[in-house]
Amino acid sequence: MKRWLRASMVTAVSGAVLLAGCSGKSADAPKTEGGGQPKNFNAENYPIVNEKITLTMMGAKAAIHGPWNEMALFKEMEKMTNIRFEFNTPPAANYQEAKNLAFASRQLPDVFFNAGLTPDDEVTYGSQGYLIPLEGLIDKYAPNFKKRMEANPDIKRSITAMDGHIYSLPLIIDQPRAFVPNRFWINGDWMEALGITKVPATTDELYELLKQFKNGDPNKNGKADEIPMSNVKLNNLDGVLLPAFGLLGREVEVKDGKVRFNPVQPQYKEYLAYLNKLFSEKLLDNEMFVQTSQQMNAKGNSNMIGVFAGSAPDLVLKVAKPEDNLKHPMLGPLTSPVSGEKLALRASNIRRGTFAITNQNKHPEATIRWVDYLYSDEGSRLGFLGNSYKWIDDAKTKWTFVSPEGMNAEEYRGKLTPDVGGQLPLIKEREFDSKRDNGKAPDYNKMVLEKLDPYAKRDFPDVYFTSEEQKRLNVVKTDIKTYVDQMEAKFVVGQEPFAKWDDYVNTIKKMGLDEMLKIYQDAYDRWSKTK
């Protein structure tokens, strides 16, 4: 059995990663089966293997998850396939470090699931042999996923690296329109308590609302304990608030065919200045850079938060009944004094890096068949809902999620599948989801389509870089991103004055901004030619 990693070992990451990055190919060649079909394996039907096998799996465990070994998804899959897993699930907050250490120390699982693999990971560790190519296995043993690729050529285009290999499988959002995961919510109980009826449409109006929340005792406890707006670092704010300043995302964006780096744009300065204003007036949670999502949610459950980003109100606020989510309005796209255009950040319908097989896996054929089931209609629903749903009518026009009475539906779903708070290799069928009938609960998809979809745009397409480009990005982009993250926080909390903005921009330029932009521009130009 493999020695498992601990998140506390992350201090060894930096040096080990440097050694791995300099080594070129891995000393361990990918383990593949030769001489035809392996024994104890069925290429069709179930079980996948006649005699049970055990594989190891590593993935990010969200705070809302129950133990993975108790989840319905894996239990049902084991019954059907005869494949069981031993799990290594570092907390999501520590997962990236633990994943990097797994690669650097060569203590790899057989499978990454809810993997959070970046294109950098795929190119780097694929070229070194740690992640095995999947296209041959897909062609032979993954008919469901192969069918999805044939129906939508964008899938193959989006997951094929520059060397022609597929190193990971994606989550696919099966809908023709925009996918906008980031949303802004307002505590409707607070609005009602203060007699506020208008939902902000501009950053100035949002500011005035936050001041009312701070000064009006909307939670009616006689204490000045209200937190008008909360967040964890700048996560999600870039998706819901930054577009108000005319920018899509905290990294690169294509504008009129040219790639630009948003954190050096004048509008970005205005965005950070706005956050600094909120922070200095205690309208923005002054613990945002040190708190966890669990700590923020605990504040929300204690009726201390007024505005927040998230996929639904009841993930932060305490909501008695599903229909009570409707009390809490979702903001549409805001405008600001520097941008009158309504914008929303559209995410890709193809979310890469959710699943991969490593060179330690002695059963790649069985493994690809196992994950391929999740790309069938039935398998995707198992991965999405843990099979805890039922059709309301014989014609199967409406279904409802079944959860214990009095228990938050998402919390219960988090006991059944890592899909909650994660990204799994499956299909999110919007046609199926449109048939959901959970009584008076909100239809979030409809809200998004009405309020955000008309203004949604992508910042940058799904591209891959050449091995040489990726090596340079690993150096240049990593340094720039680390510096930007540090300076953003300092600007927001007031540790750095905005008089030093030009120094900040010049420092980024000296760190290799032009070289980084050229790499992105070349990749974008290649991608444009394949459209």
Side-chain angles (χ1 to χ4, degrees):
M1 184 182 298
K2 296 180 178 67
R3 291 182 290 114
W4 283 107
L5 304 166
R6 295 183 180 179
S8 60
M9 296 170 62
V10 298
T11 53
V13 172
S14 298
V17 169
L18 287 174
L19 289 173
C22 295
S23 64
K25 289 283 182 178
S26 164
D28 301 315
K31 291 183 172 74
T32 56
E33 303 286 350
Q37 193 168 297
K39 295 180 180 180
N40 191 36
F41 171 71
N42 299 313
E44 297 178 345
N45 302 319
Y46 295 95
I48 293 174
V49 291
N50 296 318
E51 296 180 12
K52 184 171 291 188
I53 61 173
T54 299
L55 302 176
T56 53
M57 176 183 286
M58 184 177 188
K61 184 178 184 293
I64 200 171
H65 290 171
W68 282 25
N69 64 309
E70 297 177 6
M71 287 184 170
L73 168 61
F74 300 114
K75 288 184 175 182
E76 292 299 315
M77 291 285 283
E78 181 179 338
K79 290 177 186 177
M80 184 176 67
T81 66
N82 251 354
I83 299 174
R84 68 178 293 268
F85 286 96
E86 293 179 347
F87 300 98
N88 179 26
T89 55
N94 306 113
Y95 174 73
Q96 292 299 323
E97 293 170 309
K99 178 195 69 178
N100 290 343
L101 182 56
F103 281 112
S105 63
R106 301 187 186 183
Q107 298 296 314
L108 291 170
D110 294 309
V111 166
F112 283 100
F113 189 85
N114 189 27
L117 294 170
T118 65
D120 175 357
D121 292 332
E122 295 177 49
V123 171
T124 300
Y125 300 125
S127 66
Q128 292 176 2
Y130 294 120
L131 302 179
I132 70 170
L134 302 179
E135 63 274 1
L137 293 169
I138 292 169
D139 191 55
K140 291 182 180 179
Y141 304 117
N144 293 312
F145 186 71
K146 186 178 179 180
K147 180 180 177 182
R148 301 287 183 179
M149 283 202 302
E150 291 171 347
N152 182 0
D154 280 346
I155 297 174
K156 184 174 182 179
R157 175 187 178 205
S158 296
I159 63 173
T160 303
M162 290 295 295
D163 62 5
H165 291 310
I166 295 172
Y167 293 111
S168 77
L169 299 184
L171 161 67
I172 301 170
I173 312 295
D174 188 17
Q175 68 172 31
R177 301 180 72 178
F179 176 54
V180 185
N182 295 318
R183 302 139 198 192
F184 237 178
W185 304 96
I186 305 177
N187 189 324
D189 292 329
W190 286 16
M191 293 181 69
E192 182 179 357
L194 299 180
I196 300 170
T197 58
K198 183 180 179 182
V199 174
T202 70
T203 55
D204 288 341
E205 291 176 2
L206 176 61
Y207 170 73
E208 293 299 328
L209 174 72
L210 298 178
K211 285 203 301 183
Q212 290 178 276
F213 281 170
K214 182 178 185 295
N215 300 320
D217 190 26
N219 62 13
K220 299 301 180 184
N221 66 356
K223 301 177 182 179
D225 59 353
E226 286 85 357
I227 302 170
M229 186 164 76
S230 188
N231 209 60
V232 177
K233 298 182 180 178
L234 295 184
N235 300 340
N236 297 324
L237 284 183
D238 59 331
V240 295
L241 188 55
L242 184 53
F245 294 83
L247 300 176
L248 295 172
R250 293 167 63 201
E251 295 192 7
V252 295
E253 176 185 351
V254 178
K255 187 72 171 178
D256 300 325
K258 296 297 181 182
V259 179
R260 67 182 183 186
F261 186 56
N262 283 344
V264 299
Q265 304 303 319
Q267 303 98 307
Y268 206 85
K269 178 183 178 182
E270 296 300 323
Y271 163 67
L272 295 179
Y274 181 78
L275 293 179
N276 170 257
K277 178 182 178 181
L278 301 185
F279 190 93
S280 62
E281 296 183 23
K282 291 185 168 48
L283 303 179
L284 179 59
D285 196 335
N286 277 201
E287 296 180 343
M288 63 179 290
F289 288 105
V290 296
Q291 71 182 353
T292 65
S293 58
Q294 297 98 307
Q295 291 168 327
M296 187 189 83
N297 293 347
K299 294 175 182 178
N301 272 260
S302 298
N303 199 23
M304 294 172 62
I305 295 177
V307 178
F308 56 93
S311 58
D314 59 6
L315 294 181
V316 175
L317 302 179
K318 190 173 184 179
V319 174
K321 303 184 295 294
E323 57 265 33
D324 288 346
N325 279 288
L326 290 167
K327 295 180 180 178
H328 310 295
M330 181 176 76
L331 273 72
L334 302 176
T335 59
S336 72
V338 299
S339 176
E341 180 185 8
K342 291 184 178 181
L343 283 175
L345 178 60
R346 174 181 178 177
S348 173
N349 285 26
I350 301 166
R351 315 307 292 274
R352 300 181 291 183
T354 66
F355 173 91
I357 300 174
T358 76
N359 63 358
Q360 300 301 301
N361 192 316
K362 297 180 180 179
H363 306 277
E365 295 90 350
T367 305
I368 201 74
R369 278 211 64 206
W370 181 90
V371 74
D372 185 59
Y373 178 69
L374 295 179
Y375 290 101
S376 68
D377 292 345
E378 299 81 5
S380 287
R381 294 167 194 175
L382 174 63
F384 178 39
L385 301 167
N387 268 359
S388 189
Y389 72 98
K390 66 179 181 180
W391 291 102
I392 294 176
D393 58 344
D394 293 338
K396 295 185 176 182
T397 63
K398 290 291 180 183
W399 60 270
T400 184
F401 182 69
V402 181
S403 59
E405 186 175 352
M407 187 174 186
N408 180 282
E410 284 297 274
E411 288 182 2
Y412 181 61
R413 198 164 68 89
K415 312 296 185 226
L416 306 177
T417 169
D419 180 76
V420 187
Q423 293 185 354
L424 304 190
L426 45 73
I427 307 292
K428 289 289 180 71
E429 310 165 276
R430 290 310 183 196
E431 181 179 352
F432 171 74
D433 202 40
S434 68
K435 297 178 181 179
R436 180 198 296 253
D437 183 1
N438 282 335
K440 299 177 181 179
D443 185 342
Y444 293 118
N445 287 330
K446 184 178 180 182
M447 284 187 191
V448 170
L449 289 176
E450 291 177 351
K451 286 195 172 185
L452 303 180
D453 178 76
Y455 312 102
K457 295 181 181 180
R458 287 293 308 277
D459 51 351
F460 195 77
D462 296 325
V463 304
Y464 283 97
F465 303 98
T466 67
S467 181
E468 289 303 314
E469 288 172 338
Q470 191 65 67
K471 287 177 183 177
R472 286 302 301 155
L473 278 180
N474 289 349
V475 177
V476 178
K477 182 182 176 181
T478 300
D479 290 344
I480 290 177
K481 186 178 186 306
T482 299
Y483 178 70
V484 167
D485 288 346
Q486 292 172 348
M487 292 301 293
E488 281 177 337
K490 290 180 178 180
F491 281 128
V492 171
V493 304
Q495 289 181 6
E496 287 286 347
F498 285 94
K500 291 189 176 182
W501 178 261
D502 289 344
D503 293 340
Y504 155 81
V505 172
N506 289 331
T507 299
I508 293 173
K509 289 179 178 178
K510 291 176 182 177
M511 295 173 79
L513 176 60
D514 288 343
E515 181 184 7
M516 186 182 81
L517 288 176
K518 184 179 186 307
I519 292 172
Y520 272 98
Q521 188 70 56
D522 289 346
Y524 174 75
D525 291 342
R526 288 194 302 264
W527 176 88
S528 297
K529 292 177 182 177
T530 64
K531 289 177 67 174

